[in-house]
Amino acid sequence: MTVLESRQGLEIHHVGKVFSQPGRPDFRALDDVSIRIRPNEFFTLLGPSGCGKTTLLRMIAGFEHPSEGEIRLDGADISVKAPYERPVNTVFQSYALFPHLTVEDNISFGLEMLRRPKASIDETVTRMLALVRMTEMRNRKIQQISGGQQQRVALARALAPHPKLLLLDEPLSALDLKLRKEMQIELKRLQHETGITFIFVTHDQEEALTMSDRIAVMSAGRVQQIGSPRDIYDRPANRFAASFIGETNFVTVKLLTVSATSGELELPGGTVIHAGVPDGVKFSPGKATIVVRPEHAELVGAGAGNLAGTVTNIVYFGTDTHYHLRLKDESSFIVRRQNRHGLSFGPAIGDEVGVLIGEGVAQLVED
Amino acid sequence: MSDTASVSLALREKAERRRSRLLTLPAVLVITIFGILPLLVIVAFSFMSPGAYGGVEPPFTLEAYVSFLFSRDIFDDTLTFTPDYVLIYLRSLTFALGTTFVCLLLGFPTAYFMVTRPVESRKWWLLLVTIPFWSNLLIRTYAIMFIIRDEGLINNTLIGMGLINQPIVMLYTNFSIVLGLFYSFLPFMVLPLYSSLEKLDFRLVEAGYDLYATRSRVLWRIIVPMAKPGIVAGCLLVFIPTIGAYVTPLILGGGTHLMVGDLIAQQFGSSRNWPLGAAQAIILMAGVLVALFFYVRTTSEAKLHG
Ligand SMILES: Nc1ncnc2c1ncn2[C@@H]1O[C@H](COP(=O)(O)OP(=O)(O)O)[C@@H](O)[C@H]1O
Ligand SMILES: [Mg+2]
């Protein structure tokens, strides 16, 4: 096997999971999930609570087995291997640190189970403690350190065996905002320094956008879209992906002609513009939906632009201001404007305004 | 704070303390009447001389404790070390340790099985485990006797099926004693194990598997250390009553194996040597207290660690 072949990363191949419980109907938690995660990637599973993120992660870790499909790690099928036979480690949401052991003994646990020599274990533990900046806490009991410190120990414990994959199930959700921001940066640094593939689970879209190389957006047990944060934000594949990530406007339009990359459409006011088409999605002329991000639309005077509406609310955010509009067809539309000095045009509530949707701003989405 | 305020606060605190002392009174009374007084009586008895027809009489003497270890020559009063009683204690100790071990060996998987059942069905398993408590110890012991004796259920069945010609002798053996003690005291092992295993966070078990620990290593490195308080409590709850057990060894041992319980009963009965019986009871209790001391030490250590 060549080096290239042995570094294929993780392949989740048409995986499904059905939970059967006595006395209750079967429950399908995952449906035909296919994801390919590259080596060294910071990959995020993003989706609302209950969409199956934890279930997928537990199958990669080996705590659950797929009902259908296959999970391959560097080419080898690991679907039915026990957790202790997989070069995969997990940072649990609850941390799951061993309360009867010290910080040091927690970190060395995996290495001892792998029967590494004593000297190498000591060396690795020292290195891990330094990596997560916990050197002084080496001999503390788990109850004697704070939540944020426990988080670091959990990371060190999972990184110590240098797994091929590190799985992180909403690891930051228990931390307060400030600590969470710190740990986001910290996690990126750790991933960079260790070169380990991170599979990160979150329901926080902002966290996903700022940290990930690529994101899989999930909903109701299915993958909705896979792509870089930019792809997903700028070119959402469907209504779910568009609305789950960031704020967005949906406008119902009439699609006139469409190719694989671009569509020509008529806006509610009658003007014709072009919109992008997400990869691999087929559209046909007729009624369609486009998304326009609030910061991509521009507020102009009444009669100008290509949409017309009335200002219903203005919300000031410091760095920018949100203008809530009601369009002629009674749908709502939000425009976000950065607060710069010398902005001359400032409509008030009740004013008639125009909205300019520039070329290449609108995106067609699947409903 | 003004002086009057601090005075009234002090008064209130005093009243509070008086009231809480009053509330502890029932407990103190129960412990005194049923615990401390009988104990003092036994201690007093052990330092007196035997009455001719049972009971005790003055003078105060250490004779009972001396005769526990030595026999006195009736002609010249010289003492010779006689290990008879010590051997009986050692036999009881062996049986108690054996029973405790068997209870732990079978009780642990039982308790583990119970806590891994769905929450709704656990109460039924608990009920099943406590069923032996529902009938009298004597009846239960006789029931075992009827099952394992030479013409008992097991032997008759095996002979009836033609598997054996001669009955397997089980009654009045070490086996029957341990079996009886095991059966009587298993719930005392299972219940504390159950309660400590129920508190076990199974996510820690998963973390163990995730960190390359196989099943047996997860058991030894994670489950057992976390269940330690339950293991220690269960072992003591089985060990303490079995070392002084009376009925079970008597019936299932058939009097062939003299145990501490029988020995003490003998002193108060046929031997009419109450001081010796009392001394033997005190010595047994002292041994148990030493065990308790170790229990307290290990659990408080476990609390520090865990
Ligand atoms: N062991 C199980 N038995 C039955 N249903 C389960 C089990 N585990 C998870 N589920 C269900 O599967 C769905 C997905 O759960 P989960 O993967 O935990 O979602 P997420 O992590 O995205 O919040 C939920 O509806 C949950 O109730
Ligand atoms: Mg989850």
Side-chain angles (χ1 to χ4, degrees), chain A residues 38 41 43 208-209 212-217 225-235:
Chain A
R38 304 177 192 126
E41 203 168 21
F43 193 93
L209 289 178
S212 320
D213 293 324
R214 283 191 311 145
I215 300 172
V217 183
Q225 187 173 9
I226 300 176
S228 69
R230 232 209 154 86
D231 274 348
I232 289 186
Y233 188 81
D234 286 346
R235 303 184 324 119

Side-chain angles (χ1 to χ4, degrees), chain A residues 58 89-90 99-100 112 143, chain B residues 206 210 212 217 221 305-306:
Chain A
R58 287 173 60 80
N89 286 122
T90 308
H100 60 294
E112 278 172 44
Q143 296 85 344
Chain B
E206 284 195 344
D210 191 63
Y212 314 106
R217 301 185 102 189
R221 298 289 297 263
H305 289 270

Side-chain angles (χ1 to χ4, degrees), chain B residues 15-293:
Chain B
E16 189 82 17
R17 236 174 304 154
R18 196 165 335 124
R19 194 166 48 220
S20 65
R21 222 175 306 154
L22 213 65
L23 282 174
T24 58
L25 198 65
V28 171
L29 275 179
V30 167
I31 292 171
T32 314
I33 296 175
F34 296 106
I36 297 176
L37 281 181
L39 190 60
L40 288 177
V41 169
I42 296 286
V43 172
F45 277 17
S46 73
F47 289 107
M48 293 175 83
S49 311
Y53 304 100
V56 290
E57 39 184 66
F60 286 94
T61 167
L62 284 175
E63 192 57 30
Y65 291 94
V66 173
S67 60
F68 182 78
L69 289 176
F70 302 98
S71 58
R72 198 180 282 277
D73 191 292
I74 48 168
F75 293 108
D76 58 10
D77 259 8
T78 49
L79 295 174
T80 359
F81 176 68
T82 331
D84 293 6
Y85 295 148
V86 176
L87 287 178
I88 292 171
Y89 273 61
L90 284 180
R91 182 186 301 139
S92 280
L93 180 71
T94 315
F95 273 99
L97 286 176
T99 306
T100 309
F101 180 72
V102 175
C103 280
L104 181 61
L105 207 66
L106 294 167
F108 196 92
T110 309
Y112 192 85
F113 171 84
M114 286 163 66
V115 299
T116 47
R117 290 316 93 194
V119 183
E120 316 92 64
S121 61
R122 283 184 207 165
K123 58 173 182 281
W124 297 111
W125 290 107
L126 275 173
L127 197 74
L128 279 178
V129 164
T130 49
I131 275 181
F133 285 154
W134 294 15
S135 62
N136 180 281
L137 176 65
L138 213 56
I139 295 172
R140 273 185 272 150
T141 311
Y142 275 113
I144 293 184
M145 192 171 135
F146 281 113
I147 292 171
I148 63 172
R149 64 182 178 165
D150 289 0
E151 301 86 39
L153 188 65
I154 296 178
N155 277 319
N156 279 351
T157 311
L158 290 179
I159 291 173
M161 288 166 66
L163 291 173
I164 51 171
N165 297 320
Q166 294 292 310
I168 304 169
V169 179
M170 289 178 282
L171 192 59
Y172 307 141
T173 61
N174 290 348
F175 165 77
S176 63
I177 297 176
V178 171
L179 179 72
L181 290 172
F182 160 75
Y183 176 63
S184 307
F185 293 106
L186 183 65
F188 290 103
M189 179 62 83
V190 172
L191 295 180
L193 282 178
Y194 174 87
S195 81
S196 77
L197 282 175
E198 198 179 34
K199 278 182 242 128
L200 177 76
D201 184 351
F202 277 87
R203 289 174 295 192
L204 298 179
V205 173
E206 284 195 344
Y209 288 135
D210 191 63
L211 292 160
Y212 314 106
T214 53
R215 282 171 186 284
S216 68
R217 301 185 102 189
V218 165
L219 176 71
W220 290 108
R221 298 289 297 263
I222 297 162
I223 300 175
V224 167
M226 308 284 291
K228 200 165 149 200
I231 294 173
V232 175
C235 286
L236 281 174
L237 286 177
V238 172
F239 177 77
I240 294 172
T242 46
I243 195 166
Y246 174 59
V247 174
T248 312
L250 195 68
I251 297 174
L252 296 176
T256 50
H257 304 74
L258 197 60
M259 308 267 274
V260 177
D262 306 323
L263 185 65
I264 296 173
Q266 248 180 36
Q267 309 312 321
F268 284 94
S270 54
S271 298
R272 295 201 187 132
N273 192 346
W274 289 24
L276 182 58
Q280 287 167 346
I282 299 283
I283 290 166
L284 177 62
M285 207 183 67
V288 169
L289 276 177
V290 169
L292 253 177
F293 169 76

